[in-house]
Amino acid sequence: MAFVRRVARLEGKTLSSTDIENQPEPETAESTPSLDHAHEEHDHDHDHEHDHEHQHGPILNPDCTRELVLDIPADEVSKAYANTVKNYRKYAKIPGFRAGKVPETVIKRRFAAEIKKDVIDGLLPERFNKAVLDLGVKPVGQPQVTELTVEDGAPLHVKAVFEYLPDFSIDGYQSVTVDKPTVEITEEEYQQELAQLRESRASVEPVEEDRPLVDGDWAEITYKGVVDGDAEAAPIAGENTLVEIGGKDTVEAFTTALRGAKPGQELKAEVIYPADYAEPKLAGKTVAYEVEVKAIKKRTLPELNDDFAKELGDYDSFADLEARIREHIASSKRQSVVGETKDRLFAALIEKFQFPVPESLVQEQIDARLERGLRALSAQGMSTEQMRKLDFNRLRTAQRDSAIAEVKASHL
């Protein structure tokens, strides 16, 4: 169900040093002391200036945003610093000092950023979670720190903002109704299904008479193409390829070049592919082709009779096949109607009951939609280099309304 695709809810993440760290250039390997415990793997430093105004993360939805201020007493901060420094003294390896005998002042100076990080991680997460719980809201996304003061012997002060999922009412939803799509089978639907079956059993036979290609014929060709203005593009080539003259899926330039040609004839064709061409690697490109006509072939469709039905499977007659085709279409429509009706109902509910949703959830959904789109383009042949040229700001804007609707539908 495309419209009501389930959106993964983001649990509110706890506040930690990761959310409030700056990332200065790391020390070189020669100047950095080592620790024989988990601190060996730190990737970031955390040497913040006090009372620094942080500018983190994306814009939040003000209708779904809360602010939280925490102040931790100085004695608790000093105790956390003392315990952390003691632990570092136990494991620090610094040239010129025996293990466990490094002076406290040296530890504080050499591991200042790591110690601060551990103090923050030891003091903030549990208190932040409790404070959010006391607010009685459901946080989503990552908290954003706007103020922070951390110093040994002084109170720890932090101010953070976060998004939450607000409560909303759908009282009166019973009055929302939508039209249910019909499951009645049309003759056009039956004929389309029958035509596909008939096409699947078509035979392609060579034309023996000496004549040129005409509309409706299939040309068997060998070709090689060069993309204009793209020296790095690999040549486009194919052998024994069938092209329908005048076919709805045949590029007009090929039809024009091949119409009237005979087997053995070599010719050239320049094809300007439209920007919305199905193959991304050719979309908007101009390709110069060299083509050799190998043969003329005719595609013959089987007659619609009992033999055709029996060839397709366990059918006694063509009438039996027709009945099975109609039942298959009806079954598919019944299944699709359920999803389509739900889509219509959710769209009507979203229109009637207006409520805000966190921007972080909207951005997550936009990311998911773009990821699916890029995978589809890759499957169609678009290269990574071509993807890099896409206007992602425009693409994100185009996905926004659908993403908001999907987030809202997931919470109704």
Side-chain angles (χ1 to χ4, degrees):
M1 189 166 48
F3 177 69
V4 198
R5 194 187 74 81
R6 195 65 183 167
V7 182
R9 297 192 182 190
L10 295 180
E11 295 296 334
K13 298 178 182 177
T14 188
L15 188 65
S16 69
S17 60
T18 304
D19 307 302
I20 53 183
E21 63 185 356
N22 283 330
Q23 299 184 21
E25 291 296 321
E27 297 179 49
T28 63
E30 290 77 14
S31 63
T32 304
S34 65
L35 292 173
D36 288 339
H37 66 337
H39 298 86
E40 291 179 327
E41 301 287 333
H42 285 324
D43 293 325
H44 307 290
D45 292 334
H46 308 273
D47 192 11
H48 282 270
E49 294 296 328
H50 302 316
D51 300 316
H52 179 60
E53 288 295 322
H54 295 254
Q55 302 297 327
H56 286 261
I59 296 175
L60 306 181
N61 184 344
D63 294 329
C64 305
T65 302
R66 295 294 292 268
E67 183 178 80
L68 188 62
V69 178
L70 289 175
D71 289 291
I72 301 175
D75 60 337
E76 294 187 42
V77 177
S78 295
K79 184 178 179 181
Y81 262 98
N83 290 336
T84 304
V85 170
K86 181 180 179 180
N87 194 45
Y88 270 71
R89 286 192 70 193
K90 186 184 299 185
Y91 295 103
K93 287 184 178 179
I94 298 178
F97 297 97
R98 287 184 297 162
K101 300 298 182 179
V102 182
E104 188 173 296
T105 54
V106 175
I107 292 292
K108 288 182 177 180
R109 184 177 68 253
R110 299 297 292 270
F111 296 103
E114 289 86 349
I115 292 170
K116 179 182 289 187
K117 177 186 184 303
D118 288 352
V119 168
I120 291 171
D121 288 341
L123 293 174
L124 276 185
E126 183 177 348
R127 290 170 173 82
F128 180 82
N129 288 343
K130 183 179 183 305
V132 170
L133 188 64
D134 291 342
L135 289 175
V137 296
K138 301 174 183 177
V140 296
Q142 191 72 39
Q144 296 182 21
V145 173
T146 58
E147 294 179 8
L148 172 68
T149 303
V150 187
E151 186 176 355
D152 191 4
L156 187 155
H157 169 80
V158 63
K159 181 186 290 186
V161 294
F162 62 91
E163 287 190 304
Y164 67 99
L165 192 64
D167 293 330
F168 57 91
S169 172
I170 55 172
D171 289 343
Y173 72 90
Q174 297 91 339
S175 65
V176 178
T177 60
V178 295
D179 293 331
K180 189 175 183 179
T182 180
V183 294
E184 182 180 348
I185 304 172
T186 66
E187 185 62 24
E188 181 181 2
E189 290 171 331
Y190 165 70
Q191 291 297 335
Q192 286 179 348
E193 189 74 18
L194 180 62
Q196 290 178 6
L197 287 174
R198 196 180 184 195
E199 288 284 346
S200 70
R201 288 296 186 273
S203 60
V204 179
E205 303 294 339
V207 174
E208 301 296 343
E209 61 181 300
D210 181 17
R211 65 170 181 81
L213 284 161
V214 297
D215 286 10
D217 285 340
W218 289 76
E220 182 180 317
I221 65 171
T222 294
Y223 65 90
K224 180 182 290 186
V226 177
V227 179
D228 182 42
D230 190 349
E232 297 181 359
I236 302 167
E239 294 186 1
N240 302 322
T241 302
L242 291 175
V243 178
E244 183 182 10
I245 309 303
K248 61 182 179 62
D249 295 325
T250 304
V251 177
E252 180 60 32
F254 263 113
T255 289
T256 301
L258 290 170
R259 186 186 287 125
K262 289 187 174 184
Q265 189 172 342
E266 297 181 356
L267 46 90
K268 297 180 184 293
E270 183 178 83
V271 178
I272 302 175
Y273 291 95
D276 59 351
Y277 190 65
E279 287 190 55
K281 67 180 181 180
L282 295 177
K285 305 289 187 180
T286 298
V287 182
Y289 286 98
E290 294 181 355
V291 182
E292 180 184 359
V293 180
K294 309 292 287 187
I296 299 175
K297 297 194 174 182
K298 202 74 175 177
R299 202 158 184 262
T300 304
L301 297 174
E303 293 186 21
L304 299 177
N305 51 31
D306 292 346
D307 291 337
F308 172 70
K310 292 174 182 178
E311 183 182 336
L312 285 173
D314 186 20
Y315 305 107
D316 296 330
S317 63
F318 183 77
D320 184 20
L321 172 63
E322 179 178 353
R324 298 276 194 92
I325 292 174
R326 292 184 181 276
E327 175 53 34
H328 169 73
I329 297 172
S331 177
S332 297
K333 292 192 74 172
R334 285 193 294 269
Q335 292 180 14
S336 65
V337 159
V338 174
E340 188 176 345
T341 302
K342 285 184 178 179
D343 287 353
R344 291 184 181 185
L345 181 57
F346 277 114
L349 289 169
I350 290 170
E351 183 176 357
K352 181 177 178 62
F353 300 103
Q354 299 294 317
F355 59 93
V357 290
E359 182 64 20
S360 55
L361 294 184
V362 175
Q363 293 300 321
E364 284 282 327
Q365 194 61 14
I366 291 174
D367 289 342
R369 293 176 65 87
L370 286 179
E371 184 178 351
R372 292 196 302 272
L374 291 176
R375 282 201 300 264
L377 291 175
S378 177
Q380 294 172 19
M382 177 176 279
S383 67
T384 303
E385 186 62 33
Q386 288 173 314
M387 289 184 188
R388 289 197 184 101
K389 297 177 182 179
L390 296 173
D391 185 346
F392 282 95
N393 287 332
R394 183 182 63 80
L395 291 174
R396 295 189 73 86
T397 299
Q399 297 292 332
R400 183 172 180 80
D401 288 345
S402 296
I404 291 173
E406 288 173 349
V407 172
K408 288 185 174 183
S410 73
H411 290 98
L412 281 172

